[in-house]
Amino acid sequence: MQMKQPIATAEVREGERCVGTARYYLTNCSCQVAPVQTYGVSVSFTGEHGASYSDQVDDICVTQKQAEDLLHLLVTHTVTPVALRDVVEDYLAAR
């Protein structure tokens, strides 16, 4: 699994107050049993007091464009690691 620099960064807000920063990553993995490259997404969050957590979902898409579209959706809606898996599941179910 390879993770690159963040594709995007967003302030996470509760009302007018910034409570932390979310960073969004595109991940990729080469399958060992077939010559296929798959893509996933990762979100990390650092709160205003320094606490951080992250989550990653691998093997979501077979094209980088599909993964980038999903990542754009995550950034637009400021999805945090807590909601990442639910949002990805909904995204896949709607396709």
Side-chain angles (χ1 to χ4, degrees):
M1 184 58 56
Q2 186 177 27
M3 191 163 15
K4 302 176 182 178
Q5 294 288 42
I7 300 292
T9 302
E11 285 187 346
V12 178
R13 305 186 79 72
E14 286 182 359
E16 294 297 314
R17 189 172 131 251
C18 177
V19 295
T21 303
R23 290 177 182 77
Y24 301 88
Y25 302 86
L26 185 66
T27 64
N28 61 57
C29 183
S30 296
C31 183
Q32 293 182 4
V33 279
V36 176
Q37 177 116 4
T38 60
Y39 297 88
V41 292
S42 176
V43 180
S44 67
F45 173 82
T46 304
E48 61 188 339
H49 300 294
S52 64
Y53 55 99
S54 62
D55 198 4
Q56 180 170 320
V57 182
D58 298 321
D59 303 324
I60 302 168
C61 306
V62 293
T63 70
Q64 185 172 342
K65 171 79 169 95
Q66 290 171 328
E68 288 171 349
D69 290 346
L70 172 58
L71 200 65
H72 177 72
L73 177 73
L74 299 175
V75 173
T76 300
H77 296 284
T78 321
V79 174
T80 63
V82 172
L84 178 62
R85 290 182 183 273
D86 288 334
V87 172
V88 168
E89 186 177 296
D90 292 346
Y91 173 82
L92 293 174
R95 296 184 73 222

